[in-house]
Amino acid sequence: MSRTRIVKGKITEVIEKDYNIFSENNIVDNAAEMVTEKGETKGVSYGVSEKPENLGVKTCNYTPAPIGKGACDYYVDRFKNFMKRHPDCLHTPPVYYYGALRDSKEKGKLSEYEKAVIRLKVLAQMKLSIFGNVDGHVEIEAAEKERLKQDNMLPHYKKGNKTVIPTPYGSYGYKYCTSFTNELMPKLTSAGKEWLKRAKLDLQNFMEQGVVDKYYISHYNKEYNKKNGLTEKDGKTLVDKTGKSIKNFYTNIELYNIKFQSFAFATHPDAYNPEKMSFLPVQDLFRILLTPEMKEWMGTETWEQAWIMAKNMDYGSVTKSSWEQLKKDTKETVENAKNNLQNYWDEIFK
């Protein structure tokens, strides 16, 4: 594997102690003008290099093998497969699978965002301390104990000089697969349940196409195809009929988190299949749209995929009046989400 870095400017490195570079082969320095080396106190020495002690050659397996699909553990298995293939290097898996790697010293800790959510819930329940402050410390302490219990059950890995663990609740693939399965599935009609089973499997099928087969072209997200040079400007015609450019794009895509996330999100409209969603009862449609957390809906990638699905759906008799029907059908409070989703709804039908 090689790496090229192009910098339009200067690079300055200030090292407090020693700076050692070692190569199993050659080290070549080139300059358009001058190469300068200076030793302030002991000069510059040249000679036969010696391999540093305890320097192990970092080896990685860059060829993902197919894994079983269908269950939400697919994303856990994809994560574990990556970690198994990258045991002694600093490569990290896509956050999409099972969340970002974090120091095991952070086990049991909640983010400030999570603490704020708990405090807001307590405030909404009018649980105020005698000093007028939101009394959420009991609830936060209970949540941290539960988080520690969950973190202790996660797989632990060595990366560099740290022991790291994944962050399942910060993932997308695993988190929403379990959310859709455990929370959404029981609320859907029989037609909705069948659609969800198919969508979950297709998400994994498309992911395997990109990660393992190194060949995926989005059916609905033509902007993704064009932006990444996979197709011509029409978003459909392949730029390279041999498939080499597509294979090059997906090769080692797991190593580039932003690139991988863009690919993963591009598979969503294809897996959800807007045409099939059009035949779902309106209550199913809205329950599906309301499942992701609002912070996810406010993300550019999620909105983009939702918009692609909306444009490709045949709403038929679904009108703005369905917004009010939503509250009655779901029997859930949606006031907090109402403004943002109402704007999105208006955009679809304007």
Side-chain angles (χ1 to χ4, degrees):
M1 183 178 179
S2 62
R3 183 180 70 171
T4 301
R5 181 170 60 164
I6 300 175
V7 179
K8 295 182 178 180
K10 294 182 178 180
I11 295 179
T12 301
E13 293 181 304
V14 179
I15 312 297
E16 183 179 352
K17 295 185 178 180
D18 295 340
Y19 185 21
N20 301 311
I21 301 176
F22 177 82
S23 172
E24 292 282 356
N25 292 302
N26 300 320
I27 296 176
V28 180
D29 287 328
N30 290 304
E33 295 183 5
M34 180 185 297
V35 176
T36 303
E37 293 184 353
K38 182 180 180 180
E40 289 288 351
T41 56
K42 296 184 179 181
V44 179
S45 63
Y46 301 91
V48 179
S49 65
E50 294 182 0
K51 185 174 181 178
E53 295 181 3
N54 302 320
L55 178 64
V57 178
K58 307 300 183 183
T59 58
C60 296
N61 179 350
Y62 297 99
T63 307
I67 61 174
K69 303 183 294 293
C72 293
D73 277 347
Y74 163 82
Y75 300 99
V76 182
D77 294 339
R78 263 277 152 252
F79 164 83
K80 290 181 177 179
N81 177 268
F82 181 97
M83 298 301 289
K84 183 178 181 180
R85 290 184 290 109
H86 299 265
D88 60 355
C89 61
L90 296 181
H91 292 144
T92 57
V95 172
Y96 188 94
Y97 287 157
Y98 206 36
L101 294 179
R102 56 197 164 102
D103 195 322
S104 61
K105 294 179 181 179
E106 300 298 312
K107 287 194 296 186
K109 294 184 179 180
L110 300 180
S111 68
E112 290 305 315
Y113 171 82
E114 290 173 310
K115 291 179 181 179
V117 170
I118 292 175
R119 292 190 182 102
L120 286 173
K121 288 181 179 179
V122 172
L123 177 61
Q125 297 169 6
M126 300 303 292
K127 292 183 178 179
L128 305 179
S129 70
I130 59 174
F131 299 107
N133 297 319
V134 179
D135 186 13
H137 72 276
V138 174
E139 289 79 2
I140 290 175
E141 184 177 331
E144 288 179 331
K145 286 183 179 179
E146 180 60 27
R147 173 65 54 79
L148 179 60
K149 178 181 177 182
Q150 295 172 356
D151 286 347
N152 283 331
M153 297 173 65
L154 294 172
H156 290 53
Y157 300 91
K158 290 291 292 184
K159 278 291 181 183
N161 58 356
K162 295 181 179 179
T163 298
V164 295
I165 57 176
T167 311
Y169 53 86
S171 68
Y172 199 102
Y174 178 76
K175 180 175 71 170
Y176 282 115
C177 183
T178 54
S179 176
F180 272 54
T181 302
N182 300 330
E183 299 174 24
L184 177 63
M185 183 76 81
K187 301 175 183 177
L188 297 178
T189 64
S190 57
K193 287 183 172 69
E194 287 303 313
W195 168 84
L196 182 54
K197 289 178 183 177
R198 182 73 254 175
K200 285 169 53 182
L201 181 58
D202 282 345
L203 280 171
Q204 297 171 12
N205 284 330
F206 292 138
M207 184 154 287
E208 289 292 282
Q209 288 181 22
V211 174
V212 179
D213 302 332
K214 299 180 178 63
Y215 193 98
Y216 169 76
I217 301 294
S218 178
H219 176 70
Y220 288 107
N221 194 338
K222 295 179 175 58
E223 282 301 317
Y224 167 81
N225 298 335
K226 292 187 292 183
K227 180 178 67 176
N228 294 296
L230 305 178
T231 65
E232 301 290 355
K233 292 182 179 180
D234 61 2
K236 297 183 293 185
T237 306
L238 300 182
V239 294
D240 176 12
K241 294 183 179 180
T242 66
K244 288 183 179 179
S245 60
I246 298 174
K247 182 177 180 179
N248 289 338
F249 176 79
Y250 286 106
T251 297
N252 294 329
I253 193 170
E254 288 181 307
L255 303 183
Y256 307 97
N257 189 59
I258 296 177
K259 181 179 178 181
F260 185 92
Q261 181 165 302
S262 179
F263 150 63
F265 274 110
T267 67
H268 287 205
D270 290 355
Y272 295 160
N273 197 328
E275 294 179 9
K276 290 186 177 179
M277 283 186 73
S278 300
F279 294 98
L280 294 178
V282 66
Q283 62 265 40
D284 281 348
L285 175 61
F286 279 114
R287 283 168 177 152
I288 292 165
L289 291 176
L290 284 176
T291 298
E293 297 174 7
M294 282 308 299
K295 66 176 181 178
E296 296 288 358
W297 275 106
M298 294 308 292
T300 303
E301 293 277 9
T302 315
W303 277 109
E304 180 184 351
Q305 308 317 317
W307 177 245
I308 290 171
M309 289 190 294
K311 288 193 297 184
N312 285 278
M313 290 179 68
D314 178 11
Y315 282 87
S317 61
V318 180
T319 64
K320 288 185 179 181
S321 62
S322 296
W323 181 260
E324 294 305 319
Q325 182 180 345
L326 166 64
K327 288 185 283 187
K328 179 180 179 181
D329 287 341
T330 61
K331 295 182 180 179
E332 296 174 349
T333 302
V334 295
E335 294 301 324
N336 290 336
K338 182 177 178 180
N339 291 334
N340 289 318
L341 287 180
Q342 180 74 68
N343 292 336
Y344 172 53
W345 188 248
D346 289 340
E347 280 292 314
I348 296 175
F349 291 101
K350 72 178 180 180

